[in-house]
Amino acid sequence: MKKKKLEGLIVFGMLAALMVLCLLSGGGEEAKPLSYGEFWQMAENGGVAEVTMGDGENWHVLLGDGQKAVTPNPRAEDGKERLLRLGVTVREQGQSPVPGLMFLGLLLCGVLLLTRGRKGAAGMAKYAAVQADERIPDVTFRDVAVSPQTLQSMRDLVGFLREPERFATCGARPPKGVMLYGPPGTGKTLLARALAGEAKAPFFAMSGADFVQVYVGVGASRVRELFRKARKAGGGVIFIDEIDAIGKKRDSGNDEREQTLNALLTEMSGFSGGDKIMVVAATNRLDTLDAALLREGRFDRRIEVSLPDREERLRILQVHARNKPLAPDACLETVAAQTALFSGAQLETLLNEAAIRAARAGCQAIAMEHLQQAFFAITAGEDRPRQFSEAEKRITAYHEAGHALLTHILQPEARLTRVSIIPTSRGAAGYSMHVQPDKLLHTRQELIAMMAVALGGRLAEEMLLGKDNVTTGAANDLEKVREISRCMAEEWAMGETGDVKSDRAALEEEARRLGKDVLTRCRAGLDALAKALTARESLDGDTAARILDAQKGL
Ligand code: ADP
Ligand code: MG
Ligand code: ZN
């Protein structure tokens, strides 16, 4: 650890010394890029004093007013003569001491990198690749298919980027940092680019992984550089992919990571609503992130990007089929139905594989058989999506329907927002989301109802399959039940006997009985909701409520 740090410092010092040398020898201010046309126009008008030509991609130009500029090297023969005729001083590279020094420096760096082994070299390569994209992306929300909630949250951000003044007038604080989280390949990067595309803002992207492989101090300076660029461009979307690489919960005191993280937080607290800058980060694992990152005023907007349900999968397939010829028998609906738990990226691969197969077979269009071959190739391949068997789907559907039904009946003041059997990134099998009204006080009866709702998944499984066949899907639910019963018995004295252990057991049993009674009474509703979930994988809250209400009278 110590040794690595020292080595890093040495290299850093050398680079710094080299930079100073270059600066001294005239690399001072930043060179202004000139198009080749502009350059000649200026030369013709006497605006160019000196041109340094070499084998590089640019000519270095000294303008009449002392400014430096670069123009693309045309690598044509007659340029020098024409310039000399115009009275411009022309130098050939090699006359100035700079390249010699640079060469020496590079040699030193090379030797050091070699002695550091391949990892260092790879780090440098990545570091160089980091600065790529900073144009306005041509993707929009039309190119991304995500859940309506996710899309709406993203749409909300566009306004902040486009017209920050409007929000500033009302004293509204624009979100500084937005955290996109969800499984790999669900379109987080794509969404961030589409956000920039929609707002007609430039996009500055970097990956967290690029920061931690380079030398001490470089990560932090890369962060500052990134923000500087964005400010210079008058704003934009700064995207930091795989932020967990720098934002992991502070562990063994990794200096480089900590410095980078601090630089990021400093930059983020430094810009005001006036800068049209929005920082978007992405992670697959929200739970591993340092709490400092998620605090108010930092990445306090969190947007979940989940695996697509059936309908979203169809839309993703349609997006990527836009530029592909489909034969009349190619049914994307069928493919969407088959591909539960596929990510957007895997669906895109599937279509591409199908196109390759079609082309290989000499067909003009992608037929159903190509889609099927591609499907089997992917499900048998290395990165295959986890298979979601029909049986598993049905159990999960009953489980989630159980939670939803009990929420609907026992907590009418809690609004169901969404019921789904597609797993979330938090690892639960599926989820029933409902908005709990905020309350300071809970009655005993409400707490029993809460436990009953949490037990609803397990109870529904039991009703479908019998006690012997219940699954591990209820692990988190049971944890929640235990927590509530412990508080009730221990802290709020809501038990009968005062003996914590037997009180808890009695409270849990009471909740269990309540849940079971309701589910038995509303079995028709449970079946109907589970059936709809098996078919459609996710339902918005209103639809789920309607399905339940239609059966309630029974
Ligand atoms: P993530 O950043 O979440 O890992 P990406 O945005 O890198 O996912 O997705 C990789 C590719 O997969 C995208 O460029 C796109 O072609 C495809 N893709 C993934 N999700 C979607 C989606 N929701 N809609 C359309 N295409 C998607
Ligand atoms: Mg990505
Ligand atoms: Zn559950």
Side-chain angles (χ1 to χ4, degrees), residues 324-492:
K324 295 187 176 67
L326 288 184
D329 79 324
C331 175
L332 295 182
E333 279 86 357
T334 309
V335 179
Q338 276 179 336
T339 43
L341 301 189
F342 274 53
S343 67
Q346 285 162 332
L347 292 169
E348 198 266 337
T349 309
L350 189 152
L351 270 185
N352 192 46
E353 282 287 317
I356 292 172
R357 270 154 228 269
R360 227 187 259 147
C363 300
Q364 298 292 321
I366 303 170
M368 196 62 191
E369 79 175 290
H370 306 126
L371 288 166
Q372 291 304 348
Q373 287 166 3
F375 172 79
F376 288 117
I378 287 177
T379 46
E382 291 247 322
D383 291 331
R384 63 171 168 271
R386 186 167 80 75
Q387 290 289 287
F388 207 176
S389 69
E390 285 308 310
E392 230 182 332
K393 246 188 189 173
R394 203 165 104 138
I395 299 172
T396 313
Y398 266 87
H399 181 109
E400 298 307 325
H403 287 307
L405 191 151
L406 291 182
T407 307
H408 190 60
I409 306 274
L410 296 175
Q411 302 182 306
E413 76 284 11
R415 201 167 44 86
L416 272 180
T417 55
R418 189 173 157 85
V419 190
S420 166
I421 62 171
I422 297 290
T424 65
S425 48
R426 288 182 292 271
Y431 64 112
S432 311
M433 250 168 44
H434 54 269
V435 179
Q436 286 275 14
D438 273 333
K439 271 193 186 178
L440 285 173
L441 298 172
H442 290 286
T443 64
R444 180 179 185 280
Q445 197 190 6
E446 282 166 353
L447 292 163
I448 296 281
M450 254 185 234
M451 283 197 286
V453 168
L455 285 168
R458 168 57 67 86
L459 290 169
E461 283 183 37
E462 243 174 60
M463 285 172 69
L464 178 71
L465 303 164
K467 270 196 155 65
D468 286 342
N469 292 307
V470 296
T471 70
T472 51
N476 290 338
D477 301 336
L478 298 176
E479 183 62 40
K480 188 168 166 192
V481 170
R482 278 193 289 272
E483 177 60 18
I484 298 176
S485 75
R486 189 192 61 74
C487 289
M488 287 179 79
E490 235 177 75
E491 294 173 19
W492 306 320

Side-chain angles (χ1 to χ4, degrees), residues 31-238:
K32 174 168 99 177
L34 282 181
S35 78
Y36 195 56
E38 283 168 343
F39 164 74
W40 276 109
Q41 210 170 0
M42 293 188 79
E44 234 111 24
N45 296 333
V48 174
E50 189 180 303
V51 177
T52 309
M53 297 176 174
D55 297 330
E57 63 173 319
N58 285 322
W59 284 352
H60 295 268
V61 182
L62 185 65
L63 299 180
D65 59 4
Q67 264 199 40
K68 288 181 199 302
V70 287
T71 193
N73 181 354
R75 300 181 207 282
E77 295 291 86
D78 62 339
K80 184 172 177 183
E81 199 212 5
R82 217 174 126 195
L83 282 169
L84 288 172
R85 278 178 191 282
L86 288 167
V88 176
T89 314
V90 178
R91 284 162 168 266
E92 303 261 351
Q93 215 150 47
Q95 294 171 344
S96 109
V98 181
L101 276 174
M102 290 250 284
F103 182 72
L104 206 76
L106 279 176
L107 204 71
L108 263 171
C109 282
V111 168
L112 264 165
L113 280 178
L114 278 179
T115 55
R116 282 176 60 91
R118 284 184 50 223
K119 204 177 157 231
M124 277 313 252
K126 273 207 152 179
Y127 168 41
V130 145
Q131 349 190 350
D133 201 358
E134 48 192 77
R135 284 157 297 124
I136 299 175
D138 52 9
V139 286
T140 65
F141 291 147
R142 278 192 62 238
D143 305 299
V144 201
V146 286
S147 75
Q149 290 89 337
T150 306
L151 186 62
Q152 190 52 49
S153 312
M154 293 303 294
R155 279 196 194 292
D156 291 343
L157 300 175
V158 177
F160 285 111
L161 267 167
R162 262 204 197 143
E163 331 166 75
E165 311 84 20
R166 213 178 78 201
F167 294 88
T169 336
C170 300
R173 183 171 57 79
K176 281 188 177 170
V178 179
M179 182 71 68
L180 301 177
Y181 67 98
T186 45
K188 297 180 292 295
T189 307
L190 194 60
L191 271 174
R193 300 194 56 206
L195 170 66
E198 290 278 342
K200 304 258 180 303
F203 185 72
F204 304 86
M206 234 182 201
S207 171
D210 296 329
F211 293 117
V212 289
Q213 293 179 17
V214 289
Y215 304 106
V216 178
V218 175
S221 75
R222 294 309 299 154
V223 169
R224 286 190 287 269
E225 161 92 9
L226 197 62
F227 278 79
R228 199 179 57 75
K229 267 193 191 160
R231 263 189 223 108
K232 207 167 138 198
V237 172
I238 296 183

